[in-house]
Structure formats: C-alpha cells, structure tokens
Amino acid sequence: LSICGKLCYAIGGAPNQVAGSAAAFFLQIYLLDIAHITPFHASLVLFIGKASGAVTDPVAGFFISKSRWTKIGRLMPWMLACTPFTVVSYFFMWYLPPFVSGRVAWYLTFYCLFQALTTLFQVPYSALTMFLSTDQKERDSATAYRMTMEVLGTLIGAALQGQIVASAHVSHHCTVTPPVNATDSWHDTPSFPDPSDPLSHQVYMIAAGVIGGVYLLGIVILFLGVKEKDDPYALNSDRAIPFCKGLGLTMKHGPYVKLTASFLLISTAVQLEQSNFVLFCTHAAGLRNHFQYLVVTILVSAAVSIPFWQKFLQRFGKKCAACGIS
C-alpha cells in the first residue's frame, strides 16, 4: 500500500468522527439552551438515537454481506450512497423548526436518521480494511493511519463546532459577585445572551454546513484514492456461512465477547464525559467563556499521544497496549 492510499483511506473516515465529535460535545447543550427542550426529552433523544445506531449495525452487516461485487467494489457503493443522506440529516439535526410542540419529534427523527446512516457508512468503511491488502502488517499500518486521522477528525470537529458556536453561549457582560452576607445571593444570576436570539441558532447552522462540506470532501477523496480489492479470503472456504450462523459463532467466541464488553464500557465512559463536559463547564463551573478551549486541550493531548501508543503497541503487543492505555 502506498502512503497516499493509506492517507486517502484514513481521510475518508474522518468526517464521521468530525460530525460525531461535534454532536457528542454540543448536541445536548444545543437541545437545552437553543431548542429549549426539557432535560428529560433531551436525554430521551440522545438515548433513542444511540439505540437506533446500535440496531443498525447488524442490519447493515447483513445486507452488505448479501450485496454483489460491482465495478467500484462491494463496500464502496454503500458509502457513496449513504453520504448525501447523512449530510442532509446532520444539517436538519441542528435546524430550529418554527413550531414548538413537535420539536422533540423533529430532533428525535433526524438524530436517529443520522445515527443509522453513520452506521451504514462505518460498517463498510471498517470492513474495507480487510480488502486493502492481504498483508497483516500493511493492514495494521492502514489502521494506524485511520486511527490517527479519526482522532484528528474528533479534534477538528470539536474545534470547528466550538469556535463557531461559542458566541451562542458566551456571556458578553461582566458578572457581578454579590456580597457574601447577602441573604438573597442565589437570585443574582449573571446576564447571558438570550438563547432564543436568531444569531444563536444561525451559528449552529453555519457549523452544520461546514461539517457537511467536510463529509462531501472526505467521500470524494476516499472514492478517488482507494481501490477495493476483490475478496482475498473467498477461496479459504468451499461453502458460505449464513449470516445468522456466522453471527452466532462470533458471539460464542470468548475472547471476542470479552473484547466487545470492554469496548462497550470504555466507550460508554467516554460518551458520558463528552455529553456532560460542555454542559458542566457552561452551567456548573462558570467557564462558559472558555469551554471550547478546554475541549480542544483534551483532544490535542489525545492526538499527541497516538505515536507513543503506536510504538508501545509494536513493542509490547496489542493486549498490553490496551491495558496500558486504560
């Protein structure tokens, strides 16, 4: 594999991370402060949306495994077809509809669509690694490129979204600290911009448009720079295994189940942090003027550590690297 091919492959998956990072850090505060949805309904939107993405995973795997080989491959058509719909659903996910009573249904619909469509992209994109080369070292190298670009995509998504939408949450007035002995000090709240201000909504729309453009650029680079090879493992078996039977055999494999369970717990912890960090900085820690820089600081430290962990992995193996990172 050429370095250019690995870079094109890595860049192709970055838009999913850009959009996912922006949504993970800022969707909850958008729903609460801009769309004026109750905390219960905001949590419901996030939970059902994530669940729809989880349900789509095996469904996508089933239909992709049944699809036929085309001139551009078997996986590439799926990624090309779902990208425009992903961009549209992502854009409307940040749109403030003129009605109030149906806003929960609006955001639930488009967030579920976005999660399902990103899954339809991510499943064939992840599987594409196996169809780049038959050499495991080459596949590991391509995976390292992909992981590096995904971390950078997470950083870019949070940085772009944070810088663009910061004006919707930043206080433009000095806060007055009330006297300590004031009996009604809890009534003295700082003056913040009105979230119903049209400008507050427009900056989110601008950010959604920019990230939508990143999606289109990424899929063009992936399509032009990556050539999917025909299944190099097809001759290893003289008969095909049905999807459900293959899924059952996979879930009975102990190491895989343990790996999946650990990944579930780790990703849950990360998502809890992402969802609540901006909200905490804005409403609890009094750092609404600085939250975007704190998010970028966290993600820059993650990106900088990637080469170190890559060397650690090569020296001590994947399992020790996973334990060390934890």
Side-chain angles (χ1 to χ4, degrees), residues 227-241:
K227 180 175 177 58
E228 180 183 345
K229 301 182 188 302
D230 201 355
D231 191 353
Y233 311 99
L235 299 178
N236 291 345
S237 175
D238 57 350
R239 60 187 180 84
I241 299 177

mmCIF file with all atom_site columns, all heavy atoms in Angstrom, residues 227-241:
data_model
loop_
_atom_site.group_PDB
_atom_site.id
_atom_site.type_symbol
_atom_site.label_atom_id
_atom_site.label_alt_id
_atom_site.label_comp_id
_atom_site.label_asym_id
_atom_site.label_entity_id
_atom_site.label_seq_id
_atom_site.pdbx_PDB_ins_code
_atom_site.Cartn_x
_atom_site.Cartn_y
_atom_site.Cartn_z
_atom_site.occupancy
_atom_site.B_iso_or_equiv
_atom_site.pdbx_formal_charge
_atom_site.auth_seq_id
_atom_site.auth_comp_id
_atom_site.auth_asym_id
_atom_site.auth_atom_id
_atom_site.pdbx_PDB_model_num
ATOM 1   N N   . LYS A 1 227 ? -8.674  1.836   -3.795 1.00 0.00 ? 227 LYS A N   1
ATOM 2   C CA  . LYS A 1 227 ? -9.189  0.794   -4.680 1.00 0.00 ? 227 LYS A CA  1
ATOM 3   C C   . LYS A 1 227 ? -9.486  -0.445  -3.854 1.00 0.00 ? 227 LYS A C   1
ATOM 4   O O   . LYS A 1 227 ? -8.596  -1.011  -3.222 1.00 0.00 ? 227 LYS A O   1
ATOM 5   C CB  . LYS A 1 227 ? -8.170  0.477   -5.778 1.00 0.00 ? 227 LYS A CB  1
ATOM 6   C CG  . LYS A 1 227 ? -8.637  -0.606  -6.748 1.00 0.00 ? 227 LYS A CG  1
ATOM 7   C CD  . LYS A 1 227 ? -7.645  -0.796  -7.876 1.00 0.00 ? 227 LYS A CD  1
ATOM 8   C CE  . LYS A 1 227 ? -8.072  -1.940  -8.809 1.00 0.00 ? 227 LYS A CE  1
ATOM 9   N NZ  . LYS A 1 227 ? -9.416  -1.716  -9.388 1.00 0.00 ? 227 LYS A NZ  1
ATOM 10  N N   . GLU A 1 228 ? -10.741 -0.833  -3.859 1.00 0.00 ? 228 GLU A N   1
ATOM 11  C CA  . GLU A 1 228 ? -11.157 -2.015  -3.103 1.00 0.00 ? 228 GLU A CA  1
ATOM 12  C C   . GLU A 1 228 ? -10.816 -3.269  -3.889 1.00 0.00 ? 228 GLU A C   1
ATOM 13  O O   . GLU A 1 228 ? -11.218 -3.416  -5.054 1.00 0.00 ? 228 GLU A O   1
ATOM 14  C CB  . GLU A 1 228 ? -12.664 -1.942  -2.835 1.00 0.00 ? 228 GLU A CB  1
ATOM 15  C CG  . GLU A 1 228 ? -13.211 -3.119  -2.053 1.00 0.00 ? 228 GLU A CG  1
ATOM 16  C CD  . GLU A 1 228 ? -14.728 -3.035  -1.875 1.00 0.00 ? 228 GLU A CD  1
ATOM 17  O OE1 . GLU A 1 228 ? -15.293 -1.951  -2.105 1.00 0.00 ? 228 GLU A OE1 1
ATOM 18  O OE2 . GLU A 1 228 ? -15.323 -4.065  -1.519 1.00 0.00 ? 228 GLU A OE2 1
ATOM 19  N N   . LYS A 1 229 ? -10.069 -4.173  -3.276 1.00 0.00 ? 229 LYS A N   1
ATOM 20  C CA  . LYS A 1 229 ? -9.703  -5.428  -3.936 1.00 0.00 ? 229 LYS A CA  1
ATOM 21  C C   . LYS A 1 229 ? -10.818 -6.453  -3.738 1.00 0.00 ? 229 LYS A C   1
ATOM 22  O O   . LYS A 1 229 ? -11.543 -6.413  -2.746 1.00 0.00 ? 229 LYS A O   1
ATOM 23  C CB  . LYS A 1 229 ? -8.390  -5.972  -3.366 1.00 0.00 ? 229 LYS A CB  1
ATOM 24  C CG  . LYS A 1 229 ? -7.202  -5.029  -3.513 1.00 0.00 ? 229 LYS A CG  1
ATOM 25  C CD  . LYS A 1 229 ? -5.953  -5.684  -2.969 1.00 0.00 ? 229 LYS A CD  1
ATOM 26  C CE  . LYS A 1 229 ? -4.781  -4.719  -2.905 1.00 0.00 ? 229 LYS A CE  1
ATOM 27  N NZ  . LYS A 1 229 ? -4.416  -4.131  -4.163 1.00 0.00 ? 229 LYS A NZ  1
ATOM 28  N N   . ASP A 1 230 ? -10.920 -7.367  -4.693 1.00 0.00 ? 230 ASP A N   1
ATOM 29  C CA  . ASP A 1 230 ? -11.903 -8.441  -4.550 1.00 0.00 ? 230 ASP A CA  1
ATOM 30  C C   . ASP A 1 230 ? -11.537 -9.293  -3.341 1.00 0.00 ? 230 ASP A C   1
ATOM 31  O O   . ASP A 1 230 ? -10.385 -9.332  -2.916 1.00 0.00 ? 230 ASP A O   1
ATOM 32  C CB  . ASP A 1 230 ? -11.926 -9.300  -5.818 1.00 0.00 ? 230 ASP A CB  1
ATOM 33  C CG  . ASP A 1 230 ? -13.229 -10.069 -5.942 1.00 0.00 ? 230 ASP A CG  1
ATOM 34  O OD1 . ASP A 1 230 ? -14.044 -9.989  -4.993 1.00 0.00 ? 230 ASP A OD1 1
ATOM 35  O OD2 . ASP A 1 230 ? -13.424 -10.734 -6.964 1.00 0.00 ? 230 ASP A OD2 1
ATOM 36  N N   . ASP A 1 231 ? -12.549 -9.970  -2.788 1.00 0.00 ? 231 ASP A N   1
ATOM 37  C CA  . ASP A 1 231 ? -12.386 -10.708 -1.534 1.00 0.00 ? 231 ASP A CA  1
ATOM 38  C C   . ASP A 1 231 ? -11.193 -11.663 -1.593 1.00 0.00 ? 231 ASP A C   1
ATOM 39  O O   . ASP A 1 231 ? -11.242 -12.691 -2.277 1.00 0.00 ? 231 ASP A O   1
ATOM 40  C CB  . ASP A 1 231 ? -13.672 -11.487 -1.239 1.00 0.00 ? 231 ASP A CB  1
ATOM 41  C CG  . ASP A 1 231 ? -13.667 -12.066 0.166  1.00 0.00 ? 231 ASP A CG  1
ATOM 42  O OD1 . ASP A 1 231 ? -12.624 -11.980 0.832  1.00 0.00 ? 231 ASP A OD1 1
ATOM 43  O OD2 . ASP A 1 231 ? -14.711 -12.581 0.588  1.00 0.00 ? 231 ASP A OD2 1
ATOM 44  N N   . PRO A 1 232 ? -10.080 -11.341 -0.898 1.00 0.00 ? 232 PRO A N   1
ATOM 45  C CA  . PRO A 1 232 ? -8.905  -12.225 -0.952 1.00 0.00 ? 232 PRO A CA  1
ATOM 46  C C   . PRO A 1 232 ? -9.054  -13.479 -0.108 1.00 0.00 ? 232 PRO A C   1
ATOM 47  O O   . PRO A 1 232 ? -8.199  -14.352 -0.144 1.00 0.00 ? 232 PRO A O   1
ATOM 48  C CB  . PRO A 1 232 ? -7.786  -11.328 -0.395 1.00 0.00 ? 232 PRO A CB  1
ATOM 49  C CG  . PRO A 1 232 ? -8.485  -10.395 0.536  1.00 0.00 ? 232 PRO A CG  1
ATOM 50  C CD  . PRO A 1 232 ? -9.854  -10.174 -0.040 1.00 0.00 ? 232 PRO A CD  1
ATOM 51  N N   . TYR A 1 233 ? -10.137 -13.571 0.655  1.00 0.00 ? 233 TYR A N   1
ATOM 52  C CA  . TYR A 1 233 ? -10.328 -14.700 1.561  1.00 0.00 ? 233 TYR A CA  1
ATOM 53  C C   . TYR A 1 233 ? -11.433 -15.633 1.064  1.00 0.00 ? 233 TYR A C   1
ATOM 54  O O   . TYR A 1 233 ? -11.818 -16.567 1.759  1.00 0.00 ? 233 TYR A O   1
ATOM 55  C CB  . TYR A 1 233 ? -10.661 -14.209 2.962  1.00 0.00 ? 233 TYR A CB  1
ATOM 56  C CG  . TYR A 1 233 ? -9.709  -13.135 3.425  1.00 0.00 ? 233 TYR A CG  1
ATOM 57  C CD1 . TYR A 1 233 ? -10.072 -11.797 3.348  1.00 0.00 ? 233 TYR A CD1 1
ATOM 58  C CD2 . TYR A 1 233 ? -8.433  -13.438 3.910  1.00 0.00 ? 233 TYR A CD2 1
ATOM 59  C CE1 . TYR A 1 233 ? -9.203  -10.794 3.738  1.00 0.00 ? 233 TYR A CE1 1
ATOM 60  C CE2 . TYR A 1 233 ? -7.566  -12.452 4.298  1.00 0.00 ? 233 TYR A CE2 1
ATOM 61  C CZ  . TYR A 1 233 ? -7.941  -11.130 4.216  1.00 0.00 ? 233 TYR A CZ  1
ATOM 62  O OH  . TYR A 1 233 ? -7.079  -10.144 4.593  1.00 0.00 ? 233 TYR A OH  1
ATOM 63  N N   . ALA A 1 234 ? -11.967 -15.359 -0.119 1.00 0.00 ? 234 ALA A N   1
ATOM 64  C CA  . ALA A 1 234 ? -13.110 -16.140 -0.606 1.00 0.00 ? 234 ALA A CA  1
ATOM 65  C C   . ALA A 1 234 ? -12.744 -17.599 -0.850 1.00 0.00 ? 234 ALA A C   1
ATOM 66  O O   . ALA A 1 234 ? -13.568 -18.482 -0.682 1.00 0.00 ? 234 ALA A O   1
ATOM 67  C CB  . ALA A 1 234 ? -13.658 -15.513 -1.888 1.00 0.00 ? 234 ALA A CB  1
ATOM 68  N N   . LEU A 1 235 ? -11.494 -17.870 -1.244 1.00 0.00 ? 235 LEU A N   1
ATOM 69  C CA  . LEU A 1 235 ? -11.088 -19.227 -1.571 1.00 0.00 ? 235 LEU A CA  1
ATOM 70  C C   . LEU A 1 235 ? -10.717 -20.052 -0.346 1.00 0.00 ? 235 LEU A C   1
ATOM 71  O O   . LEU A 1 235 ? -10.417 -21.226 -0.467 1.00 0.00 ? 235 LEU A O   1
ATOM 72  C CB  . LEU A 1 235 ? -9.903  -19.184 -2.540 1.00 0.00 ? 235 LEU A CB  1
ATOM 73  C CG  . LEU A 1 235 ? -10.167 -18.489 -3.884 1.00 0.00 ? 235 LEU A CG  1
ATOM 74  C CD1 . LEU A 1 235 ? -8.892  -18.469 -4.726 1.00 0.00 ? 235 LEU A CD1 1
ATOM 75  C CD2 . LEU A 1 235 ? -11.290 -19.191 -4.638 1.00 0.00 ? 235 LEU A CD2 1
ATOM 76  N N   . ASN A 1 236 ? -10.719 -19.441 0.826  1.00 0.00 ? 236 ASN A N   1
ATOM 77  C CA  . ASN A 1 236 ? -10.345 -20.183 2.033  1.00 0.00 ? 236 ASN A CA  1
ATOM 78  C C   . ASN A 1 236 ? -11.442 -21.142 2.479  1.00 0.00 ? 236 ASN A C   1
ATOM 79  O O   . ASN A 1 236 ? -11.231 -21.982 3.327  1.00 0.00 ? 236 ASN A O   1
ATOM 80  C CB  . ASN A 1 236 ? -10.041 -19.206 3.179  1.00 0.00 ? 236 ASN A CB  1
ATOM 81  C CG  . ASN A 1 236 ? -8.763  -18.424 2.902  1.00 0.00 ? 236 ASN A CG  1
ATOM 82  O OD1 . ASN A 1 236 ? -7.986  -18.787 2.042  1.00 0.00 ? 236 ASN A OD1 1
ATOM 83  N ND2 . ASN A 1 236 ? -8.551  -17.359 3.653  1.00 0.00 ? 236 ASN A ND2 1
ATOM 84  N N   . SER A 1 237 ? -12.635 -20.969 1.967  1.00 0.00 ? 237 SER A N   1
ATOM 85  C CA  . SER A 1 237 ? -13.743 -21.833 2.364  1.00 0.00 ? 237 SER A CA  1
ATOM 86  C C   . SER A 1 237 ? -14.509 -22.246 1.116  1.00 0.00 ? 237 SER A C   1
ATOM 87  O O   . SER A 1 237 ? -14.720 -21.437 0.209  1.00 0.00 ? 237 SER A O   1
ATOM 88  C CB  . SER A 1 237 ? -14.678 -21.088 3.336  1.00 0.00 ? 237 SER A CB  1
ATOM 89  O OG  . SER A 1 237 ? -15.803 -21.879 3.627  1.00 0.00 ? 237 SER A OG  1
ATOM 90  N N   . ASP A 1 238 ? -14.923 -23.530 1.064  1.00 0.00 ? 238 ASP A N   1
ATOM 91  C CA  . ASP A 1 238 ? -15.639 -24.001 -0.116 1.00 0.00 ? 238 ASP A CA  1
ATOM 92  C C   . ASP A 1 238 ? -17.141 -23.772 -0.012 1.00 0.00 ? 238 ASP A C   1
ATOM 93  O O   . ASP A 1 238 ? -17.873 -24.048 -0.949 1.00 0.00 ? 238 ASP A O   1
ATOM 94  C CB  . ASP A 1 238 ? -15.341 -25.495 -0.343 1.00 0.00 ? 238 ASP A CB  1
ATOM 95  C CG  . ASP A 1 238 ? -15.701 -26.328 0.886  1.00 0.00 ? 238 ASP A CG  1
ATOM 96  O OD1 . ASP A 1 238 ? -15.986 -25.723 1.933  1.00 0.00 ? 238 ASP A OD1 1
ATOM 97  O OD2 . ASP A 1 238 ? -15.690 -27.573 0.782  1.00 0.00 ? 238 ASP A OD2 1
ATOM 98  N N   . ARG A 1 239 ? -17.609 -23.283 1.120  1.00 0.00 ? 239 ARG A N   1
ATOM 99  C CA  . ARG A 1 239 ? -19.044 -23.005 1.259  1.00 0.00 ? 239 ARG A CA  1
ATOM 100 C C   . ARG A 1 239 ? -19.241 -21.765 2.125  1.00 0.00 ? 239 ARG A C   1
ATOM 101 O O   . ARG A 1 239 ? -18.461 -21.480 3.029  1.00 0.00 ? 239 ARG A O   1
ATOM 102 C CB  . ARG A 1 239 ? -19.778 -24.195 1.887  1.00 0.00 ? 239 ARG A CB  1
ATOM 103 C CG  . ARG A 1 239 ? -19.291 -24.563 3.271  1.00 0.00 ? 239 ARG A CG  1
ATOM 104 C CD  . ARG A 1 239 ? -19.952 -25.853 3.762  1.00 0.00 ? 239 ARG A CD  1
ATOM 105 N NE  . ARG A 1 239 ? -19.503 -26.221 5.093  1.00 0.00 ? 239 ARG A NE  1
ATOM 106 C CZ  . ARG A 1 239 ? -20.014 -25.747 6.222  1.00 0.00 ? 239 ARG A CZ  1
ATOM 107 N NH1 . ARG A 1 239 ? -21.013 -24.867 6.176  1.00 0.00 ? 239 ARG A NH1 1
ATOM 108 N NH2 . ARG A 1 239 ? -19.558 -26.125 7.399  1.00 0.00 ? 239 ARG A NH2 1
ATOM 109 N N   . ALA A 1 240 ? -20.270 -21.032 1.815  1.00 0.00 ? 240 ALA A N   1
ATOM 110 C CA  . ALA A 1 240 ? -20.553 -19.791 2.535  1.00 0.00 ? 240 ALA A CA  1
ATOM 111 C C   . ALA A 1 240 ? -21.279 -20.093 3.840  1.00 0.00 ? 240 ALA A C   1
ATOM 112 O O   . ALA A 1 240 ? -22.117 -21.000 3.914  1.00 0.00 ? 240 ALA A O   1
ATOM 113 C CB  . ALA A 1 240 ? -21.407 -18.866 1.668  1.00 0.00 ? 240 ALA A CB  1
ATOM 114 N N   . ILE A 1 241 ? -20.960 -19.342 4.875  1.00 0.00 ? 241 ILE A N   1
ATOM 115 C CA  . ILE A 1 241 ? -21.637 -19.491 6.167  1.00 0.00 ? 241 ILE A CA  1
ATOM 116 C C   . ILE A 1 241 ? -22.789 -18.495 6.229  1.00 0.00 ? 241 ILE A C   1
ATOM 117 O O   . ILE A 1 241 ? -22.588 -17.304 5.963  1.00 0.00 ? 241 ILE A O   1
ATOM 118 C CB  . ILE A 1 241 ? -20.656 -19.224 7.329  1.00 0.00 ? 241 ILE A CB  1
ATOM 119 C CG1 . ILE A 1 241 ? -19.508 -20.241 7.289  1.00 0.00 ? 241 ILE A CG1 1
ATOM 120 C CG2 . ILE A 1 241 ? -21.362 -19.290 8.673  1.00 0.00 ? 241 ILE A CG2 1
ATOM 121 C CD1 . ILE A 1 241 ? -18.459 -20.008 8.350  1.00 0.00 ? 241 ILE A CD1 1
#
